[in-house]
Amino acid sequence: MQLRSYSAADEAAVIALWQACGLTRPWNDPKRDIERKLTEQPELFLVGELEGRVVATAMIGYDGHRGWVYYVAVEPALQGHGYGRTLMARAEELLVARGCPKINLLVRQGNDAVMAFYEKLGYGADAAVSLGKRLIPDN
Ligand SMILES: CC(C)(COP(=O)(O)OP(=O)(O)OC[C@H]1O[C@@H](n2cnc3c(N)ncnc32)[C@H](O)[C@@H]1OP(=O)(O)O)[C@@H](O)C(=O)NCCC(=O)NCCS
């Protein structure tokens, strides 16, 4: 799998991948999420390509204190072949290269299957509760 930064031509394939992976939600317009990411550290929006096809994504950011990763996805038919591990390793490398001391990510309630994946990669639950407040509605 070749990892590179997102480019505009990837939009439809990326959104289709997120839908296939169950990552889209009615309150997050994926097109707007992509547009917003392209305004901040666009080079950290990674896509994984296999034979010219988008098969993986990770939307990474460093806010000066923590690194975050969203939209971690590998095409369902290709899961379990190490692509997710490769993707997260690159995310970590890019963050460390920027001096980021810690990476955080959110796992939605009910997405229990993914917990084993992150545990294998050395991630653990923080003693913290994630609070959020929507500032700009998408719908
Ligand atoms: C989570 C996801 C990105 C993992 O990608 P992947 O390519 O299947 O993962 P890998 O093949 O690199 O797996 C890495 C390790 O985690 C383990 N693992 C992965 N998924 C697992 C699962 N569901 N249960 C148990 N172990 C799992 C693998 O066995 C592997 O272990 P090993 O290296 O010791 O053999 C992928 O399953 C996915 O896109 N899921 C749907 C979207 C999603 O939920 N994203 C996360 C949002 S927080």
Side-chain angles (χ1 to χ4, degrees), residues 21 23 72-75 78-86 105-108 111 113-114 116-118 120-121:
C21 285
L23 293 180
V72 175
V74 170
E75 187 176 291
L78 296 170
Q79 290 173 9
H81 292 89
Y83 296 122
R85 182 186 280 278
T86 301
L105 56 88
L106 300 170
V107 175
R108 287 200 182 103
N111 194 358
V114 85
F117 166 71
Y118 286 121
K120 285 235 165 156
L121 270 52

Side-chain angles (χ1 to χ4, degrees), residues 22-134:
L23 293 180
T24 53
R25 290 294 181 277
W27 54 89
N28 290 329
D29 179 335
K31 279 183 181 245
R32 289 200 192 170
D33 281 353
I34 291 171
E35 279 165 24
R36 292 182 185 115
K37 179 57 190 166
L38 297 180
T39 70
E40 301 283 346
Q41 300 175 325
E43 71 284 5
L44 293 185
F45 183 11
L46 296 185
V47 302
E49 215 176 47
L50 215 53
E51 293 166 1
R53 214 158 46 82
V54 171
V55 298
T57 61
M59 190 185 273
I60 304 151
Y62 178 41
D63 60 20
H65 181 62
R66 295 290 181 249
W68 286 88
V69 59
Y70 303 95
Y71 285 117
V72 175
V74 170
E75 187 176 291
L78 296 170
Q79 290 173 9
H81 292 89
Y83 296 122
R85 182 186 280 278
T86 301
L87 191 61
M88 289 303 295
R90 178 67 63 84
E92 291 175 16
E93 256 172 48
L94 289 167
L95 289 169
V96 168
R98 284 163 176 73
C100 170
K102 180 169 184 274
I103 184 170
N104 287 343
L105 56 88
L106 300 170
V107 175
R108 287 200 182 103
Q109 266 179 8
N111 194 358
D112 299 330
V114 85
M115 295 301 288
F117 166 71
Y118 286 121
E119 276 164 22
K120 285 235 165 156
L121 270 52
Y123 290 73
D126 284 334
V129 174
S130 171
L131 298 185
K133 178 182 175 182
R134 189 86 202 186

